[in-house]
């Protein structure tokens, strides 16, 4: 296209708007376009040739095919329905012209669109699953750490503390906060909860004073 001014673009936009308003009219051609535009058929033809290199009839067909492409993307009409919707009286003729213009048939284009959509959905799904699995894995590791700490604390209080100490000797243990190495606020909340649970469980042991930080 050789569009050099705002007037040229306005000219093409106005022609396109007229064609779209008569899109499903199979008999709408260059003569009808010129009449609604208010210029002669030769004026429309010469100016289109200068701007786009296309004749009036080819320009009309291109607008029809571009609208057909938009309808295919919506994926809610059959090829035959789209053909009639954009002014082609024969679906087979529509398929032929569509293939000539875009390099593939309407059905092939619709299939490509569906495949691209499936790929995008799969990427999103895999990403969400990956994030969910990571979160579950972190929770499992923290739960394992919690169990190990409780077991170690139990054995320490039962076997490591001196048995034959005088009654006035204080037995105490300090429970320090768990470090959240991942920096995740949600994990920090879970870590704080584990520490508090450990402190509560140890406080139930007779003769043992449990101190927090």
């Amino acid at each position: 296209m050789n569009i050099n001014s705002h007037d040229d673009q306005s000219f093409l936009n106005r022609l396109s708007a007229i064609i779209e308003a008569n899109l499903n009219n199979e008999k709408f051609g260059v003569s009808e376009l010129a009449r609604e535009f208010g210029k002669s058929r030769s004026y429309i033809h010469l100016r289109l040739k200068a701007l786009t290199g296309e004749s009036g009839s080819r320009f009309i067909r291109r607008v029809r095919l571009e609208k057909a492409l938009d309808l295919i993307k919506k994926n809610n009409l059959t090829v035959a329905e789209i053909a009639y919707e954009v002014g082609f009286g024969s679906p087979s003729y529509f398929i032929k012209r569509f293939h000539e213009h875009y390099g593939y048939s309407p059905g092939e284009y619709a299939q490509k669109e569906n495949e691209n959509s499936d790929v995008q959905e799969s990427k999103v799904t895999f990403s969400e699953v990956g994030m969910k699995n990571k979160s579950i894995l972190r929770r499992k590791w923290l739960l394992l750490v919690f169990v190990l700490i409780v077991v170690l604390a139990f054995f320490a209080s039962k076997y490591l503390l001196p048995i034959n100490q005088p009654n006035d000797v204080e037995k105490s243990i300090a429970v320090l906060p768990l470090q959240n190495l991942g920096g995740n606020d949600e994990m920090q909340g879970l870590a704080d909860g584990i520490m508090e649970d450990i402190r509560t469980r140890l406080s139930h042991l007779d003769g043992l004073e449990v101190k927090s930080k």
Side-chain angles (χ1 to χ4, degrees), residues 18-28 60 63-64 67 71 81-89:
I18 294 172
I19 296 168
E20 291 176 14
N22 296 274
L23 199 62
N24 59 0
N25 182 1
E26 179 187 356
K27 299 185 181 301
F28 187 84
I60 293 173
V63 173
R64 293 183 188 277
K67 296 304 294 183
L71 292 175
E81 288 172 334
I82 292 173
Y84 296 129
E85 188 71 23
V86 297
F88 285 87

Side-chain angles (χ1 to χ4, degrees), residues 71-94:
L71 292 175
I72 291 174
K73 290 179 180 179
K74 295 178 181 178
N75 200 27
N76 56 359
L77 295 175
T78 66
V79 173
E81 288 172 334
I82 292 173
Y84 296 129
E85 188 71 23
V86 297
F88 285 87
S90 167
S92 60
Y93 179 70
F94 164 68

Side-chain angles (χ1 to χ4, degrees), residues 50-197:
L51 294 175
T52 68
E54 298 174 318
S55 64
S57 59
R58 288 184 65 87
F59 181 79
I60 293 173
R61 187 166 66 218
R62 177 163 63 84
V63 173
R64 293 183 188 277
L65 291 173
E66 288 173 353
K67 296 304 294 183
L69 189 66
D70 291 338
L71 292 175
I72 291 174
K73 290 179 180 179
K74 295 178 181 178
N75 200 27
N76 56 359
L77 295 175
T78 66
V79 173
E81 288 172 334
I82 292 173
Y84 296 129
E85 188 71 23
V86 297
F88 285 87
S90 167
S92 60
Y93 179 70
F94 164 68
I95 293 172
K96 176 183 177 182
R97 291 304 187 184
F98 190 96
H99 191 281
E100 288 176 354
H101 189 73
Y102 291 108
Y104 37 76
S105 69
E108 291 171 339
Y109 181 85
Q111 184 177 359
K112 289 178 184 292
E113 283 290 297
N114 290 335
E115 290 174 354
N116 291 336
S117 176
D118 291 342
V119 168
Q120 292 299 325
E121 290 178 0
S122 298
K123 287 181 179 179
V124 172
T125 300
F126 287 141
S127 176
E128 291 175 348
V129 170
M131 293 177 65
K132 185 176 181 180
N133 287 340
K134 287 181 180 179
S135 178
I136 293 174
L137 184 60
R138 289 195 190 99
R139 291 177 182 272
K140 286 183 177 179
W141 274 108
L142 286 173
L143 181 60
L144 178 60
V145 171
F146 163 71
V147 172
L148 288 175
I149 291 175
V150 171
V151 171
L152 289 174
F154 173 77
F155 278 98
S157 64
K158 190 172 183 64
Y159 299 108
L160 298 182
L161 294 176
I163 298 176
N164 297 320
Q165 288 184 342
N167 292 333
D168 58 348
V169 175
E170 179 182 325
K171 299 178 184 178
S172 64
I173 186 171
V175 181
L176 300 179
L178 298 177
Q179 288 189 345
N180 177 18
L181 300 179
N184 188 308
D185 292 341
E186 182 182 356
M187 293 300 104
Q188 183 60 53
L190 182 59
D192 293 340
I194 291 175
M195 184 198 72
E196 182 63 27
D197 192 60

